[in-house]
Amino acid sequence: MSNSSNVDQKSNITLTMENYSACYEGYMTPWATIFAMFTLYSIALMWFCRYGKKACLPAPDSIYPYRRRLKYLKQVLNHLLIDDIFIELTDSKLGQGAVGFVFKGYVFPKTQTRFKQKTFAAVKMSYPMPQKSLGLLEEAARMSKLNHPNIVRLIAVSKLSFTAFRPMFAMEWLPGGSLAEFFRDEIRRKDELERKPVYVKDIVNILFQVGEALKYIHESRDHEGNEFTHSDVACRNILLTNRNLETCVAKLGDFGLPIDFGPRLPIPWLPPEIVCSLDRSPKHRPESDSWMFGVLCWECATLGAEPHFQRTFDEIQQSFLLPDRGLSYPPHCPADYWSFIMDCLSEQHRRPRFSGAIDSPYSAIFRLQKLQTMFAHSTAKFTMVWNVSNCTCMQHRCNVPLPSFAIR
């Protein structure tokens, strides 16, 4: 009996020692506790240093419907993303379009002497509206995929475009300004004796460069295999390297998307298949760019006149039925040049195309090459046409105010 009790006592002692050992092994010494807390604190500090700035940014308004598209656009533009401190805006406003403002600015490289190596740039910033912001990012994505000597190059995109949903990107700076600015500053705002002569051969050379850019765009495809178009071919979007039309290089810029921008749509430049079916959300196709190119040619022949100046929407639609499509024959305009304009303003299937072979009379590049040869040694000049109002109401297109917003 005593032997069994001794055995029980020994087993109890063994169990007690095992429990004590297990408890001792699970116990952390003060130094181990300090080390664990220090490790957790270091990990939290490293996370905050890396992601803290993003965490402190205000939540973008109405960003939820665009999350999936923004994720794709960020992947496309990832190689151009830089911190916003490397893009600087000035007070010099260059203009504004359907989706945002354009300012003169600078882009700084990531070096110690970055302030000595700044690069001039045209910086575009969107209006503080979600749809406009998305439109500007779409424009940047389109520009990032295009590489041609006659297309404005995209330099950088601010990271704030996606963290704060206030897109801003920088494009190469062209000191000559736009072709519309050239006509305004060098022709229309000067006395007749001070105006620079504008030769047909120089205008045709600029149009040929724009045609080369459109050919490249129309022959390109996006990631889904869809065709590219420009959608806003006009003098205001033709940028020049200098103000000498004989030697300058012309580049096509402003790849804005004409989607639901109301009064900001370039109605006087758009073809009838779009203007007459805006309620059905028509798609802009390459032949639509051909029509707009014809209107661009007319702008050049009039030295910067505005097509359908102060006509109402209904008047513009009615003018499409006229033989000249509402764009009157400019004085001293060569017949072959005018014939090319009328071909661009014809029915969709009859318009010259920029894509494809250039040895066909249906090719716009072929027609432009013929005009280049024809006027290579000509002294023919274009003369200015003053705009004449045909408006019949108080709310014509050029007086439609911009939507109200404040620059933040």
Side-chain angles (χ1 to χ4, degrees), residues 258-260 273-274 276-284:
I259 48 173
D260 192 24
E273 64 267 18
I274 292 181
C276 299
S277 58
L278 289 175
D279 57 332
R280 297 191 295 272
S281 300
K283 183 178 179 181
H284 196 100

Side-chain angles (χ1 to χ4, degrees), residues 31 38 73 84 101 225 282 291 306 322 326 379 382 384 391 395 401:
W31 288 108
F38 178 78
L73 292 173
D84 58 291
F101 299 102
W291 174 285
E306 182 182 342
L322 301 175
T379 58
F382 287 122
M384 185 179 64
C391 184
Q395 294 182 340

Side-chain angles (χ1 to χ4, degrees), residues 10 17 55 116 119 177 191 213 222 266-267 290 297 299 330 332 397:
K10 289 181 179 180
M17 292 295 293
K116 296 181 181 179
T119 303
D191 294 332
D222 62 12
I267 296 294
S290 297
C297 294
E299 284 186 276
H332 305 105
R397 190 194 66 84

Side-chain angles (χ1 to χ4, degrees), residues 66-364:
Y66 310 110
R67 284 187 182 276
R68 186 173 181 181
R69 188 60 182 169
L70 285 174
K71 184 178 180 180
Y72 165 75
L73 292 173
K74 188 174 182 180
Q75 292 176 350
V76 172
L77 298 170
N78 186 59
H79 65 290
L80 293 167
L81 292 179
I82 63 174
D83 292 326
D84 58 291
I85 61 173
F86 295 106
I87 301 179
E88 181 180 307
L89 292 176
T90 67
D91 294 332
S92 178
K93 181 181 173 183
L94 303 177
Q96 61 191 71
V99 294
F101 299 102
V102 182
F103 293 90
K104 183 179 180 181
Y106 309 97
V107 175
F108 300 98
K110 299 179 181 180
T111 61
Q112 295 293 330
T113 58
R114 67 189 188 96
F115 291 105
K116 296 181 181 179
Q117 302 176 21
K118 62 184 180 182
T119 303
F120 283 104
V123 182
K124 196 165 188 178
M125 176 183 290
S126 76
Y127 302 138
M129 306 173 190
Q131 190 184 23
K132 309 293 185 183
S133 298
L134 186 68
L136 194 69
L137 288 175
E138 294 279 6
E139 177 183 347
R142 286 154 59 90
M143 291 182 67
S144 69
K145 296 181 179 181
L146 302 175
N147 182 19
H148 190 273
N150 296 117
I151 294 178
V152 175
R153 183 169 54 90
L154 185 65
I155 300 176
V157 180
S158 170
K159 288 182 179 179
L160 283 178
S161 302
F162 297 95
T163 54
F165 201 33
R166 186 69 193 277
M168 179 173 66
F169 64 80
M171 304 169 287
E172 66 174 315
W173 172 259
L174 295 174
S178 70
L179 190 57
E181 291 172 333
F182 172 85
F183 290 141
R184 183 192 65 199
D185 299 337
E186 305 297 336
I187 306 296
R188 296 185 167 264
R189 290 184 176 176
K190 290 189 175 181
D191 294 332
E192 188 173 356
L193 297 177
E194 297 177 348
R195 294 171 189 162
K196 294 181 179 179
V198 179
Y199 296 100
V200 176
K201 62 180 180 181
D202 295 335
I203 290 297
V204 171
N205 183 47
I206 288 176
L207 293 174
F208 178 78
Q209 295 180 62
V210 177
E212 289 282 356
L214 287 173
K215 177 177 173 61
Y216 172 81
I217 292 171
H218 290 178
E219 292 178 349
S220 301
R221 293 290 183 272
D222 62 12
H223 71 290
E224 297 176 349
N226 299 321
E227 57 193 6
F228 271 136
T229 61
H230 185 273
S231 308
D232 198 5
V233 183
C235 275
R236 61 183 173 273
N237 294 327
I238 310 303
L239 304 177
L240 310 174
T241 54
N242 59 70
R243 286 285 176 99
N244 186 347
L245 298 185
E246 187 177 358
T247 61
C248 71
V249 175
K251 298 195 177 190
L252 189 58
D254 198 352
F255 287 73
L257 304 178
I259 48 173
D260 192 24
F261 291 143
R264 302 304 299 171
L265 267 175
I267 296 294
W269 284 264
L270 290 175
E273 64 267 18
I274 292 181
V275 175
C276 299
S277 58
L278 289 175
D279 57 332
R280 297 191 295 272
S281 300
K283 183 178 179 181
H284 196 100
R285 301 187 60 83
E287 52 266 28
S288 303
D289 277 350
S290 297
W291 174 285
M292 300 188 82
F293 189 82
V295 179
L296 166 66
C297 294
W298 183 88
E299 284 186 276
C300 293
T302 59
L303 302 186
E306 182 182 342
H308 304 293
F309 180 67
Q310 293 189 348
R311 281 183 179 155
T312 63
F313 184 79
D314 291 336
E315 287 175 338
I316 292 176
Q317 288 184 312
Q318 293 170 9
S319 68
F320 292 147
L321 302 176
L322 301 175
D324 60 2
R325 307 297 189 266
L327 303 177
S328 58
Y329 184 90
H332 305 105
C333 177
D336 294 283
Y337 186 95
W338 179 251
S339 175
F340 178 66
I341 292 177
M342 286 293 97
D343 287 343
C344 291
L345 303 182
S346 58
E347 293 79 9
Q348 286 180 265
H349 65 283
R350 296 180 181 274
R351 298 172 196 164
R353 302 298 177 92
F354 290 94
S355 59
I358 61 174
D359 56 353
S360 166
Y362 299 103
S363 167

